[in-house]
Amino acid sequence: MTSITIKRALLSVSDKTGIVELGQALAAKGVELVSTGGTSKVLRDAGLEVRDISDLTGFPEMMDGRVKTLHPVVHGGLLAVRDDEGHMASASDHAIGMIDLVVVNLYPFAQTVAKGASRDEIIENIDIGGPSMVRSAAKNHAFVAIVTDPADYAVVATGETTLDDRKRFAAKAYALTAQYDSTIASWFAFADQGERFPETLPMVFKRGEELRYGENPHQSAALYLPAGPATPGIAQAEQLQGKELSYNNYNDADAALELVSEFRDGPPTVVIVKHANPCGVATADTLVDAYKAALACDSVSAFGGIIALNRPLDADTARAITDIFTEVVVAPGASDEAKAIFAAKKNLRLLICGDLPNPARPGLMLKTIAGGALVQSRDNGQVMQDALKVVTQRAPTEQELTDCLFAWTVAKHVKSNAIVYAKGGSTAGIGAGQMNRLESARIAAWKAKDAADKAGWAEPRTLGSAVASDAFFPFADGLLAAVEAGATAVIQPGGSIRDDEVIAAADEAGLAMVFTGMRHFRH
């Protein structure tokens, strides 16, 4: 049997949106309406004839509404296989009538948690009867339609359902209960029990959109959004213009947003990212000056890059950005004039993200591997100035210390092995993703020299710079490469068995060096 006429419908919803209109449409088709508590009142207030669930079961709703639909008359009417003689004989013997449609949405558990409710109120918002009805109806979708999404009300308002409809409804229904239970399990594990890594990690994501392709054209891809509460980020940003984002656009834009968020309380800052690595970062008195300084660090790599700002996009910065090809710009907001300037570049995507995320926020990061997944806490470690340990004979000057901390912040977001030279609030050279730290130091210095040649500067900005290393120098050679590039101060975690050798080399070169005691590998 593919098409079924709805004769009896059970309506029990927390979110009453559209339920009156659906009830009216079903009643007009001669469908008997059965309902519970608040839903039945809403329907009756609209002038509809409704049968209470207690009339069906012969038991009143009790225990503050905790027990109302958990009854054989309800679940028998949902689970009976209509073309099974034994099932139907049992239904007849026990006066169980069939239910052809169930419309349910569940208690607002996630919303209750989000508003900061007490533990008792949170527990009361764990729906029991709703999910039970959803699962019963979905299991018996050959004969029963289960609707959990108001967007599907129009389909069942016709008074009939097809098997294809019911199969689709059942799939959505089980996805809903999986999400609902996952949200509850997450709250118990993390919020209530304070676990860091629960025995079972409940994670549910809902598909946002399918992307054109993945990292490469032969790969397929989609964007998924957390089903429960989450920190807003690139996935939630509003795209004002430009073609749809690709997999790589999302990945690079996220890297840019995470780094610029480190400066959310600082002066105007611009981050330029290419292939998930920053190629230029700068702070200045104005956003446009910060952009020009960041671009000057590596104008070649910046072509076709991703730009993130810690201030709303203004007209001057928008004009400067449009001078070269840029894939995506991420900003907390944008002026009307800036939007108009960007409008002339139809392929340039502008993402408005609102408040920047807190870089110190907690959270988990997941990476799939063959046969499993690796889960770790976010790298939200931050080093304050008073936590630095001076290990050389010469202590850094105030300016060197400022440059060290700036370079260190950027290095945290550069793929390992990471070396970052910085001077005066701008990166001078960035070496990323090399198999040894010496090569990263040399590449960063070479990039700084190349930038100076292109800008017509008398000398590269590594002269008099601070250099940051995301992990310790295992040998003095990487440090000596920084000395050769003109760095005068070093910031690194320390902890190598050859620290004494590295410190001695720094002292011999007259460098100031500080240890952070914290590493920032980024693979």
Side-chain angles (χ1 to χ4, degrees), residues 141-474:
H141 63 268
F143 304 98
V144 181
I146 171 62
V147 174
T148 56
D149 184 353
D152 293 321
Y153 286 0
V155 178
V156 296
T158 61
E160 292 189 352
T161 61
T162 67
L163 179 58
D164 284 343
D165 290 334
R166 297 192 299 276
K167 287 164 66 175
R168 181 169 59 86
F169 295 158
K172 291 178 73 170
Y174 278 119
L176 173 66
T177 56
Q179 171 190 330
Y180 195 74
D181 285 343
S182 172
T183 303
I184 295 169
S186 292
W187 177 82
F188 268 110
F190 296 114
D192 191 55
Q193 299 299 307
E195 294 184 71
R196 177 179 292 182
F197 299 109
E199 185 175 350
T200 298
L201 181 62
M203 299 181 69
V204 177
F205 291 84
K206 299 184 71 173
R207 191 185 67 219
E209 60 180 308
E210 292 192 44
L211 307 178
R212 296 197 308 274
Y213 53 82
E215 203 164 5
N216 298 290
H218 64 276
Q219 296 172 266
S220 56
L223 171 69
Y224 279 82
L225 306 173
T231 298
I234 289 298
Q236 290 77 26
E238 178 187 6
Q239 184 173 348
L240 296 188
Q241 69 165 65
K243 59 186 178 180
E244 66 217 46
L245 295 168
S246 70
Y247 178 97
N248 291 331
N249 290 154
Y250 274 112
N251 190 51
D252 291 349
D254 178 67
L257 179 63
E258 289 283 10
L259 174 47
V260 84
S261 295
E262 299 274 3
F263 300 93
R264 68 177 190 162
D265 299 321
T269 302
V270 173
V271 169
I272 306 176
V273 162
K274 192 69 172 289
H275 297 169
N277 270 307
C279 57
V281 183
T283 63
D285 292 334
T286 66
L287 206 57
V288 66
D289 287 340
Y291 169 70
K292 291 175 180 178
L295 177 64
C297 179
D298 189 350
S299 59
V300 174
S301 298
F303 184 85
I306 309 288
I307 297 173
L309 320 172
N310 73 339
R311 294 282 193 282
L313 178 68
D314 58 64
D316 288 343
T317 309
R319 289 191 194 95
I321 288 173
T322 56
D323 284 343
I324 69 167
F325 170 59
T326 298
E327 289 274 10
V328 180
V329 174
V330 185
S335 70
D336 290 340
E337 190 177 358
K339 293 175 188 177
I341 292 167
F342 269 21
K345 299 284 186 178
K346 63 179 183 179
N347 288 329
L348 172 58
R349 292 89 149 192
L350 175 58
L351 301 182
I352 302 301
C353 63
D355 292 339
L356 300 180
N358 182 357
R361 70 190 184 277
L364 295 179
M365 300 178 68
L366 183 146
K367 178 180 176 60
T368 59
I369 59 174
L374 298 172
V375 180
Q376 64 173 345
S377 60
R378 289 187 67 257
D379 183 3
N380 57 5
Q382 295 178 309
V383 173
M384 300 295 107
Q385 183 171 324
D386 57 5
L388 299 177
K389 179 183 178 183
V390 178
V391 295
T392 47
Q393 294 172 7
R394 184 174 76 82
T397 65
E398 184 176 343
Q399 182 59 53
E400 285 175 330
L401 199 53
T402 299
D403 289 340
C404 277
L405 288 170
F406 179 86
W408 178 253
T409 301
V410 176
K412 175 182 174 182
H413 294 266
V414 177
K415 297 295 179 66
S416 299
N417 288 310
I419 293 290
V420 176
Y421 295 93
K423 181 180 179 181
S426 299
T427 51
I430 300 173
Q434 299 307 302
M435 286 67 73
N436 67 73
R437 202 158 297 279
L438 174 60
E439 290 302 317
S440 288
R442 286 172 172 169
I443 288 171
W446 174 82
K447 282 181 171 290
K449 185 178 183 306
D450 186 61
D453 292 342
K454 286 181 169 57
W457 299 331
E459 58 188 29
R461 288 192 294 190
T462 50
L463 292 178
S465 69
V467 61
S469 175
D470 65 340
F472 60 65
F473 285 102

Side-chain angles (χ1 to χ4, degrees), residues 6 20-33 48-49 157-159:
I6 302 170
V20 168
E21 293 78 6
L22 175 59
Q24 291 169 336
L26 292 172
K29 296 290 184 180
V31 177
E32 179 188 17
L33 303 181
L48 291 168
E49 185 177 340
T158 61

Side-chain angles (χ1 to χ4, degrees), residues 32 34-35 44 50-60 73:
E32 179 188 17
V34 180
S35 190
R44 283 198 183 94
V50 184
R51 187 177 180 186
D52 285 330
I53 194 72
S54 56
D55 291 339
L56 205 67
T57 63
F59 279 83
V73 169

